[in-house]
Amino acid sequence: MAKDVEVTERGSFSGKDYHDPPPAPLIDTEELTKWSFYRALIAEFIATLLFLYITVLTVIGYKHQSDLKDHGDACGGVGILGIAWAFGGMIFILVYCTAGISGGHINPAVTFGLFLARKVSLIRAIMYMVAQCLGAICGVGLVKAFQKSYYNRYGGGANSLADGYSTGTGLGAEIIGTFVLVYTVFSATDPKRNARDSHVPVLAPLPIGFAVFMVHLATIPVTGTGINPARSLGAAVIYNKDKPWDDHWIFWVGPFIGAAIAAFYHQFILRAGAVKALGSFRSNPHV
């Protein structure tokens, strides 16, 4: 969920050539002096707050409407399909709204993947993650404030490993799910693709939202679908029961591993970063 600067690199497509943007500095203290940096932090905070508020309310509302013990209907509510649409739809909306301000990460795993690809500096990556986690905690806090009885009764929308699944299965689900998401982020925001395929309009938030939707369909029965450490942390902090904390590490380790693999795959395999670097090394007459 990042906004790459569209530039041109020399190639065989006249009029659509571009140069890859230079990598972001590892430590860029100058960012701390710019209002645009703090505006981006505010955008990440508010976007993650809204994301958790809407999605956790959807989860709790579904559980209440389908609760047979409370005169509910087993087929009532939005169902798993509706929950997946809530998560994917909110990501589409929020990335669309914030991409021009902060890049629309709304997820520490996405920020981590973009940091590994040198799209953002270390300072920005850390501060984004802090803003995202605080926004998630506040968003779930609002849900509890407005629907406290239902919130406590139906698990607070917290992620946990479902009964019958091993820790390895849950970790694998989070790794693969996050890989799908972060790989989609890199592909949808790739300046090379935007330059050469400009005749096919690509609205980046749309495939990113669909990726979130599809991953939720697959992994809600396994882990409740994390793929976003801020989402998992916010729900766990406010609900604060043993079960969400028991395997909470899965919802950080899995997404970060998945994001790292996606960054490596896109940058060094698909974009042939390693081959380019080796070719440049071999063609250097001074070596």
Side-chain angles (χ1 to χ4, degrees), residues 116-193:
L116 293 180
R118 300 293 300 279
K119 304 291 185 182
V120 296
S121 69
L122 178 62
I123 290 175
R124 183 174 290 263
I126 292 173
M127 294 301 290
Y128 269 27
M129 291 180 192
V130 171
Q132 291 155 359
C133 290
L134 290 177
I137 292 170
C138 291
V140 183
L142 286 177
V143 175
K144 184 174 182 178
F146 295 151
Q147 304 244 7
K148 187 171 184 179
S149 61
Y150 290 155
Y151 179 89
N152 290 325
R153 186 187 309 174
Y154 297 116
N159 290 125
S160 61
L161 188 62
D163 295 337
Y165 290 96
S166 68
T167 301
T169 300
L171 181 63
E174 289 296 307
I175 290 173
I176 296 172
T178 311
F179 172 87
V180 171
L181 169 60
V182 178
Y183 172 43
T184 304
V185 170
F186 275 105
S187 297
T189 60
D190 187 348
K192 179 178 181 179
R193 177 175 183 174

Side-chain angles (χ1 to χ4, degrees), residues 62-77 154:
Y62 162 65
K63 289 185 176 181
H64 170 61
Q65 291 171 315
S66 60
D67 186 2
L68 298 178
K69 296 179 180 178
D70 195 23
H71 309 291
D73 181 354
C75 297
Y154 297 116

Side-chain angles (χ1 to χ4, degrees), residues 9-13 16-18 191-200:
E9 174 187 342
R10 301 216 171 268
S12 58
F13 295 83
K16 299 180 183 178
D17 298 337
Y18 70 97
K192 179 178 181 179
R193 177 175 183 174
N194 291 341
R196 294 185 174 178
D197 297 339
S198 58
H199 61 286
V200 180

Side-chain angles (χ1 to χ4, degrees), residues 22 30 32 37-38 43 69 76-77 119 121 135 141 146 171 194 197 205 216 235 245 251 257 268 285:
E30 187 178 345
L32 298 174
F37 175 70
Y38 296 98
K69 296 179 180 178
K119 304 291 185 182
S121 69
F146 295 151
L171 181 63
N194 291 341
D197 297 339
H216 274 75
W245 288 118
F251 301 101
I257 292 176
F268 292 97

Side-chain angles (χ1 to χ4, degrees), residues 137 158-161 229-252:
I137 292 170
N159 290 125
S160 61
L161 188 62
R231 176 262 185 273
S232 301
L233 178 67
V237 166
I238 299 300
Y239 186 57
N240 199 28
K241 302 292 183 183
D242 289 341
K243 187 170 177 58
W245 288 118
D246 287 343
D247 299 301
H248 185 71
W249 65 272
I250 290 175
F251 301 101
W252 283 86

